[in-house]
Amino acid sequence: MTALALAGRSLRISSRRPDALIAALMLPVMLMLIFVYFFGGAIDTGTTYVTYVVPGAMLLCAGFGAASTAVSVAEDMTNGVIDRFRSLDIGGIPVLAGHVAASVVRNLISTTLVLAVALAIGFRPQAGPAAFLAAAGLLLTYITAISWLAAALGLLARTPEAAGGFTFLMMFLPYPSSAFVPIETMPGWLHGFADHQPLTPVIESLRALLLAQPAGNAPWVALTWCAGITAAAMALAAVLFRSRTR
């Protein structure tokens, strides 16, 4: 219950920052439109480009949303509110879980907006109910993982500005993956990283599930990555919170 109350607090704070909220919601949509209408005609993916790019756009959207979580955690660590929480006997895990829960809600809203715009410009998923639920579950798992990672980065940073910089990697990772272009079109020296980084199996799984194509073992690889990131981020966050609040 404490985590839910703190999640509500985080969402209320977000609603009071309409500029940041609009940027987090609209920037991924704008990037998707830029890729589809500016670059899509020059990229051969074997299908319509909007069909290819949607899974990557949803993950890019989640990365932007998670960045605000890192900033929010860093702000809490620097403005004295954590001391007030501790005086109420509220531990670190509920505080961080509240931020993560709020991040998941914000990201689900923004990825739904991305999907709605994609449908409006021609994306036509072929998934049945089971495959669609599996895709939604995988996306939720990924959002939870990067939200915990963002919370840990927010604790690692000493200022909100630094926290925003630390999350650059999460927003950059979709680019050297199969999100926007097929990996085989990239320089050969980049193939190893693009094939084996965490986002590629998530993107390939979402693409296969939404388009009713064979997914192979990509979903299991994606879930393994998500579980590992979540476990490592939670452990790191617990250690950092204890260190910062001694």
Side-chain angles (χ1 to χ4, degrees):
M1 293 299 293
T2 301
L4 289 177
L6 292 172
R9 166 186 172 268
S10 295
L11 290 172
R12 286 192 296 273
I13 291 174
S14 296
S15 68
R16 295 168 189 158
R17 298 171 177 171
D19 52 344
L21 186 61
I22 291 172
L25 290 174
M26 297 307 299
L27 189 55
V29 172
M30 294 303 297
L31 286 173
M32 180 178 66
L33 294 175
I34 288 171
F35 272 98
V36 170
Y37 289 114
F38 291 5
F39 308 132
I43 301 174
D44 182 14
T45 61
T47 183
T48 57
Y49 190 67
V50 66
T51 298
Y52 183 88
V53 81
V54 167
M58 289 193 292
L59 266 60
L60 184 66
C61 178
F64 278 107
S68 65
T69 302
V71 173
S72 296
V73 171
E75 287 177 343
D76 276 358
M77 298 303 296
T78 56
N79 63 14
V81 72
I82 296 298
D83 292 331
R84 293 197 289 272
F85 287 154
R86 294 188 72 195
S87 70
L88 297 172
D89 198 26
I90 298 175
I93 293 299
V95 172
L96 297 176
H99 280 289
V100 169
S103 174
V104 170
V105 172
R106 288 193 301 265
N107 275 306
L108 288 176
I109 293 172
S110 58
T111 52
T112 299
L113 177 61
V114 167
L115 182 58
V117 173
L119 291 170
I121 63 175
F123 178 59
R124 296 295 179 264
Q126 305 298 316
F132 188 84
L133 287 175
L138 177 58
L139 183 61
L140 178 61
T141 303
Y142 172 76
I143 289 172
T144 302
I146 63 165
S147 295
W148 272 109
L149 180 59
L153 293 175
L155 290 168
L156 188 63
R158 293 294 173 175
T159 65
E161 293 77 13
F166 284 175
T167 57
F168 171 77
L169 180 62
M170 292 189 297
M171 293 182 283
F172 172 76
L173 272 180
Y175 295 98
S177 73
S178 61
F180 302 110
V181 297
I183 291 175
E184 57 268 21
T185 66
M186 298 179 182
W189 56 267
L190 191 55
H191 287 187
F193 176 79
D195 278 325
H196 298 99
Q197 65 129 310
L199 270 66
T200 294
V202 178
I203 292 165
E204 293 298 325
S205 299
L206 290 174
R207 189 173 287 136
L209 290 168
L210 290 174
L211 301 179
Q213 297 173 350
N217 66 345
W220 299 111
V221 176
L223 289 172
T224 300
W225 268 112
C226 291
I229 291 170
T230 302
M234 290 180 71
L236 177 62
V239 171
L240 289 172
F241 189 88
R242 286 197 296 270
S243 175
R244 293 284 302 272
T245 55
R246 284 176 180 171

